[in-house]
Structure formats: structure tokens, C-alpha cells
Amino acid sequence: MGFGHGHGHGGGSVGGHAAGRAADRRRLRWVLGVTASVLVIEVVGALVTGSLALLADAAHMATDAGGVLLALGASYLAALPAGRRSTFGYHRAEVLAALLNAVVLFVVCGYLAWNGISRLTDPEDVEAGTMVLFAIAGLVANGVSLTILRRSDTDSLNMRGAIYEVMADLLGSVTAIVAGVIIWATGWLQADSIASLLIAAMILPRAAILARDATVVLLEIAPAGLDLDDLDHHLRHVDGVVDVHDVHAWTITSGIATLSAHVTVTDKALAERGVGRILDELGACTAAHFDVRHCTFQIEPVSHSAHENLGELH
């Protein structure tokens, strides 16, 4: 309603986002190769040693490989250009991949907990020395993968999902090594089951955080770092602005925050400076004080405010 005008800022930052995403894909390809190799090693190790902890780590390594593959595919999909109907492009593919990764992590936690508890009362023989050797191989590979992923300078939920997967694998390898040493030194077979339970306990909070952050984006909740009251205060101090309302802020995907607002301006300000200049001032204000990649403002003259609600859906 009124006469509305959109105005966007941050085109260069979107280009930087695309460049960062391309670099992330290279990292994910390297990690996928390392993860698949270690998966084969740990499956063989679990079969040879009979270790539940090693099998648990291998099972999580399998979900890790699937998670990295999912993240890689989502990154490629998100890079596709926007279409006539997909006006925002496919950026949300990365958020969906992160949420699916979180769900997989929850399933892995349940599997490890169930099997760990079951084998506490009925432990099986484990070849501790061989178990430790295979776990060390997994530890080295996971360390390499985590180093590669941590070089990313993006805050993508998609990459965070992959990092959490690899980090959980690394912790799992450490736990499996400790369990193997305990069994080798004391013969206490329950250490294997306890190790798998510890791995599940370490995965769970990261899965919960990832699921929460992905859900916040999908529900289009305002970005955590954006104070809407502070935003309203700054916009109202632009010369000629008398009211700011219908403010909406959401995140398209990690690092791309979006804002829209109706801004009521005095007729005098519109006559003296024009719509274009006022839009520039609003955009400059938002860019200077808030990390928002894209802003859309609808300018409404005070003389037209009585007609604003006409035609709105309720």
C-alpha cells in the first residue's frame, strides 16, 4: 500500500559469499576422500578386533561421510542461480542439509546408547592392541579433516554440520583409544561399551545446537545479532522519518540476513530530497550499524498513511 520502493545493499558481499562457498566445496571434497578411506579401515578393524567402540566410531564415520556428501551436494545446489519462481535461489538447501545432518547425528546417538547399554551386562572379547592401532589411524585422519574444514572463513550452517560430524569422529577415536588401553592394561571389557556411551554423549549436544540453529533459519526468526529495537531507533533518526513499522528480519542462509520495513516519511522530506536519496540514507544507516546483506524499504508519505492498510490481507 502507499507507494513502495525496494532498495538493496551488499551485492559485493553476496559475491564474497559465493567465493567462500566455492572454497568450502574444495575442502569438503578433500574431507570426503579422507573420511571414506578411514571408514574402510575402521570397519575392517571392528571386524578383526570385535570392538563395539571401534564399530561405533566406524558407524559414525559412515554417517559422517554421508553428511559431508550431503553438505557438498547442498553447496552445489545453493550455488545455482535464482529463477522466476525460486526468487531467493536455492540457499536454503544448505540449511536443510544441516538439519538433516543433525537428525542423522541424533539417530547415531540412539544407536550407540542402545548397543552400549546392551553390552554393559554382556561384554564381548576385544583385541585391545589391534583396536588401539585402528583407532589411532582414525584419529590421525580425523585430525587432518578437521584442520581442513576449520580453515573455512564462512559461518555456514552447512559447514558447521560437517565440522561437528568430523569433531565427533575425532572425539570418538580418542575415546576408542582410551578404552583399548584400559582393556589391554586391566582386561575390563566394559570399557568398550562405556566408550561408545561417551561417544554418544559427546555427539548429542552438538546435534542439538545444529538442529536449533537450522530451525531458527527455517522458521525465519530474526538473526540473533540483530536487535530490532535498536534498528527501529536508528531508522527513526534518519531525517524526515516519523514512523517505522511492519519490520521483518530473517536469514536466507548462514551469512545472508535480510530486512524489510515500511517507513513513513514527511511530505516535506520527500519533496526536498526525493525517494531515492531517502532510500540511500536508510540503506547507509542500516549498513553502518547492522550486518544485513539485503534491505527493502517501502516509503510511505505521511499524507498517505490513512490509506496504508487498504488491500492488506488479515
Side-chain angles (χ1 to χ4, degrees), residues 289-303:
H289 298 98
F290 307 95
D291 185 22
V292 180
R293 302 297 181 106
H294 185 273
C295 305
T296 302
F297 299 106
Q298 177 167 311
I299 303 298
E300 299 165 353
V302 171
S303 60

PDB file of all heavy atoms in Angstrom, residues 289-303:
ATOM      1  N   HIS A 289      25.357   0.266  10.839  1.00  0.00           N
ATOM      2  CA  HIS A 289      25.131  -0.188  12.210  1.00  0.00           C
ATOM      3  C   HIS A 289      24.758  -1.664  12.340  1.00  0.00           C
ATOM      4  O   HIS A 289      24.835  -2.215  13.443  1.00  0.00           O
ATOM      5  CB  HIS A 289      24.029   0.657  12.863  1.00  0.00           C
ATOM      6  CG  HIS A 289      24.359   2.106  12.981  1.00  0.00           C
ATOM      7  ND1 HIS A 289      23.916   3.047  12.075  1.00  0.00           N
ATOM      8  CD2 HIS A 289      25.113   2.786  13.889  1.00  0.00           C
ATOM      9  CE1 HIS A 289      24.364   4.242  12.417  1.00  0.00           C
ATOM     10  NE2 HIS A 289      25.092   4.115  13.522  1.00  0.00           N
ATOM     11  N   PHE A 290      24.361  -2.313  11.225  1.00  0.00           N
ATOM     12  CA  PHE A 290      23.877  -3.686  11.316  1.00  0.00           C
ATOM     13  C   PHE A 290      24.434  -4.512  10.162  1.00  0.00           C
ATOM     14  O   PHE A 290      24.577  -4.031   9.047  1.00  0.00           O
ATOM     15  CB  PHE A 290      22.341  -3.726  11.280  1.00  0.00           C
ATOM     16  CG  PHE A 290      21.701  -2.827  12.304  1.00  0.00           C
ATOM     17  CD1 PHE A 290      21.298  -1.547  11.950  1.00  0.00           C
ATOM     18  CD2 PHE A 290      21.535  -3.243  13.614  1.00  0.00           C
ATOM     19  CE1 PHE A 290      20.726  -0.696  12.871  1.00  0.00           C
ATOM     20  CE2 PHE A 290      20.966  -2.403  14.549  1.00  0.00           C
ATOM     21  CZ  PHE A 290      20.558  -1.132  14.184  1.00  0.00           C
ATOM     22  N   ASP A 291      24.696  -5.768  10.446  1.00  0.00           N
ATOM     23  CA  ASP A 291      25.240  -6.665   9.419  1.00  0.00           C
ATOM     24  C   ASP A 291      24.094  -7.317   8.655  1.00  0.00           C
ATOM     25  O   ASP A 291      23.770  -8.490   8.849  1.00  0.00           O
ATOM     26  CB  ASP A 291      26.125  -7.730  10.077  1.00  0.00           C
ATOM     27  CG  ASP A 291      26.808  -8.626   9.049  1.00  0.00           C
ATOM     28  OD1 ASP A 291      26.935  -8.194   7.887  1.00  0.00           O
ATOM     29  OD2 ASP A 291      27.197  -9.752   9.417  1.00  0.00           O
ATOM     30  N   VAL A 292      23.452  -6.549   7.785  1.00  0.00           N
ATOM     31  CA  VAL A 292      22.326  -7.028   6.990  1.00  0.00           C
ATOM     32  C   VAL A 292      22.709  -6.958   5.518  1.00  0.00           C
ATOM     33  O   VAL A 292      23.110  -5.896   5.023  1.00  0.00           O
ATOM     34  CB  VAL A 292      21.052  -6.185   7.252  1.00  0.00           C
ATOM     35  CG1 VAL A 292      19.902  -6.698   6.405  1.00  0.00           C
ATOM     36  CG2 VAL A 292      20.694  -6.242   8.736  1.00  0.00           C
ATOM     37  N   ARG A 293      22.594  -8.073   4.819  1.00  0.00           N
ATOM     38  CA  ARG A 293      23.065  -8.143   3.436  1.00  0.00           C
ATOM     39  C   ARG A 293      22.088  -7.534   2.432  1.00  0.00           C
ATOM     40  O   ARG A 293      22.488  -7.088   1.381  1.00  0.00           O
ATOM     41  CB  ARG A 293      23.329  -9.618   3.055  1.00  0.00           C
ATOM     42  CG  ARG A 293      24.335 -10.337   3.940  1.00  0.00           C
ATOM     43  CD  ARG A 293      25.711  -9.714   3.851  1.00  0.00           C
ATOM     44  NE  ARG A 293      26.674 -10.401   4.682  1.00  0.00           N
ATOM     45  CZ  ARG A 293      27.610 -11.200   4.225  1.00  0.00           C
ATOM     46  NH1 ARG A 293      27.698 -11.450   2.943  1.00  0.00           N
ATOM     47  NH2 ARG A 293      28.458 -11.770   5.056  1.00  0.00           N
ATOM     48  N   HIS A 294      20.806  -7.576   2.743  1.00  0.00           N
ATOM     49  CA  HIS A 294      19.828  -7.090   1.773  1.00  0.00           C
ATOM     50  C   HIS A 294      18.677  -6.410   2.508  1.00  0.00           C
ATOM     51  O   HIS A 294      18.099  -6.983   3.423  1.00  0.00           O
ATOM     52  CB  HIS A 294      19.290  -8.253   0.933  1.00  0.00           C
ATOM     53  CG  HIS A 294      18.380  -7.813  -0.168  1.00  0.00           C
ATOM     54  ND1 HIS A 294      17.035  -7.630   0.013  1.00  0.00           N
ATOM     55  CD2 HIS A 294      18.627  -7.508  -1.466  1.00  0.00           C
ATOM     56  CE1 HIS A 294      16.487  -7.243  -1.128  1.00  0.00           C
ATOM     57  NE2 HIS A 294      17.427  -7.157  -2.040  1.00  0.00           N
ATOM     58  N   CYS A 295      18.374  -5.177   2.119  1.00  0.00           N
ATOM     59  CA  CYS A 295      17.304  -4.405   2.760  1.00  0.00           C
ATOM     60  C   CYS A 295      16.280  -3.965   1.713  1.00  0.00           C
ATOM     61  O   CYS A 295      16.645  -3.571   0.611  1.00  0.00           O
ATOM     62  CB  CYS A 295      17.861  -3.156   3.443  1.00  0.00           C
ATOM     63  SG  CYS A 295      19.161  -3.474   4.631  1.00  0.00           S
ATOM     64  N   THR A 296      15.012  -4.016   2.090  1.00  0.00           N
ATOM     65  CA  THR A 296      13.940  -3.496   1.239  1.00  0.00           C
ATOM     66  C   THR A 296      13.074  -2.573   2.083  1.00  0.00           C
ATOM     67  O   THR A 296      12.535  -2.992   3.108  1.00  0.00           O
ATOM     68  CB  THR A 296      13.078  -4.635   0.663  1.00  0.00           C
ATOM     69  OG1 THR A 296      13.900  -5.516  -0.086  1.00  0.00           O
ATOM     70  CG2 THR A 296      11.986  -4.070  -0.234  1.00  0.00           C
ATOM     71  N   PHE A 297      12.968  -1.312   1.648  1.00  0.00           N
ATOM     72  CA  PHE A 297      12.170  -0.331   2.378  1.00  0.00           C
ATOM     73  C   PHE A 297      10.998   0.124   1.514  1.00  0.00           C
ATOM     74  O   PHE A 297      11.175   0.418   0.335  1.00  0.00           O
ATOM     75  CB  PHE A 297      13.015   0.886   2.760  1.00  0.00           C
ATOM     76  CG  PHE A 297      14.176   0.569   3.657  1.00  0.00           C
ATOM     77  CD1 PHE A 297      15.468   0.569   3.172  1.00  0.00           C
ATOM     78  CD2 PHE A 297      13.960   0.260   4.986  1.00  0.00           C
ATOM     79  CE1 PHE A 297      16.529   0.273   3.986  1.00  0.00           C
ATOM     80  CE2 PHE A 297      15.018  -0.030   5.816  1.00  0.00           C
ATOM     81  CZ  PHE A 297      16.316  -0.031   5.322  1.00  0.00           C
ATOM     82  N   GLN A 298       9.827   0.180   2.113  1.00  0.00           N
ATOM     83  CA  GLN A 298       8.673   0.771   1.447  1.00  0.00           C
ATOM     84  C   GLN A 298       8.451   2.152   2.047  1.00  0.00           C
ATOM     85  O   GLN A 298       8.151   2.298   3.229  1.00  0.00           O
ATOM     86  CB  GLN A 298       7.423  -0.093   1.631  1.00  0.00           C
ATOM     87  CG  GLN A 298       6.182   0.548   0.993  1.00  0.00           C
ATOM     88  CD  GLN A 298       5.024  -0.403   0.887  1.00  0.00           C
ATOM     89  OE1 GLN A 298       5.192  -1.530   0.418  1.00  0.00           O
ATOM     90  NE2 GLN A 298       3.843   0.025   1.344  1.00  0.00           N
ATOM     91  N   ILE A 299       8.621   3.177   1.200  1.00  0.00           N
ATOM     92  CA  ILE A 299       8.477   4.564   1.649  1.00  0.00           C
ATOM     93  C   ILE A 299       7.012   4.984   1.547  1.00  0.00           C
ATOM     94  O   ILE A 299       6.378   4.815   0.503  1.00  0.00           O
ATOM     95  CB  ILE A 299       9.347   5.508   0.795  1.00  0.00           C
ATOM     96  CG1 ILE A 299      10.814   5.070   0.856  1.00  0.00           C
ATOM     97  CG2 ILE A 299       9.190   6.947   1.273  1.00  0.00           C
ATOM     98  CD1 ILE A 299      11.413   5.114   2.233  1.00  0.00           C
ATOM     99  N   GLU A 300       6.494   5.530   2.645  1.00  0.00           N
ATOM    100  CA  GLU A 300       5.102   5.964   2.690  1.00  0.00           C
ATOM    101  C   GLU A 300       5.035   7.411   3.187  1.00  0.00           C
ATOM    102  O   GLU A 300       5.516   7.717   4.291  1.00  0.00           O
ATOM    103  CB  GLU A 300       4.297   5.066   3.635  1.00  0.00           C
ATOM    104  CG  GLU A 300       4.278   3.611   3.195  1.00  0.00           C
ATOM    105  CD  GLU A 300       3.807   2.674   4.287  1.00  0.00           C
ATOM    106  OE1 GLU A 300       3.617   3.137   5.447  1.00  0.00           O
ATOM    107  OE2 GLU A 300       3.637   1.484   3.985  1.00  0.00           O
ATOM    108  N   PRO A 301       4.482   8.332   2.390  1.00  0.00           N
ATOM    109  CA  PRO A 301       4.346   9.722   2.851  1.00  0.00           C
ATOM    110  C   PRO A 301       3.309   9.818   3.964  1.00  0.00           C
ATOM    111  O   PRO A 301       2.358   9.051   4.005  1.00  0.00           O
ATOM    112  CB  PRO A 301       3.879  10.467   1.600  1.00  0.00           C
ATOM    113  CG  PRO A 301       3.225   9.421   0.757  1.00  0.00           C
ATOM    114  CD  PRO A 301       3.957   8.135   1.024  1.00  0.00           C
ATOM    115  N   VAL A 302       3.501  10.752   4.855  1.00  0.00           N
ATOM    116  CA  VAL A 302       2.565  10.952   5.956  1.00  0.00           C
ATOM    117  C   VAL A 302       1.154  11.180   5.428  1.00  0.00           C
ATOM    118  O   VAL A 302       0.171  10.673   5.988  1.00  0.00           O
ATOM    119  CB  VAL A 302       3.011  12.151   6.828  1.00  0.00           C
ATOM    120  CG1 VAL A 302       1.930  12.499   7.850  1.00  0.00           C
ATOM    121  CG2 VAL A 302       4.324  11.841   7.533  1.00  0.00           C
ATOM    122  N   SER A 303       1.030  11.901   4.336  1.00  0.00           N
ATOM    123  CA  SER A 303      -0.299  12.220   3.787  1.00  0.00           C
ATOM    124  C   SER A 303      -1.017  10.985   3.270  1.00  0.00           C
ATOM    125  O   SER A 303      -2.228  11.019   3.040  1.00  0.00           O
ATOM    126  CB  SER A 303      -0.154  13.234   2.646  1.00  0.00           C
ATOM    127  OG  SER A 303       0.664  12.709   1.608  1.00  0.00           O
TER     128      SER A 303
END
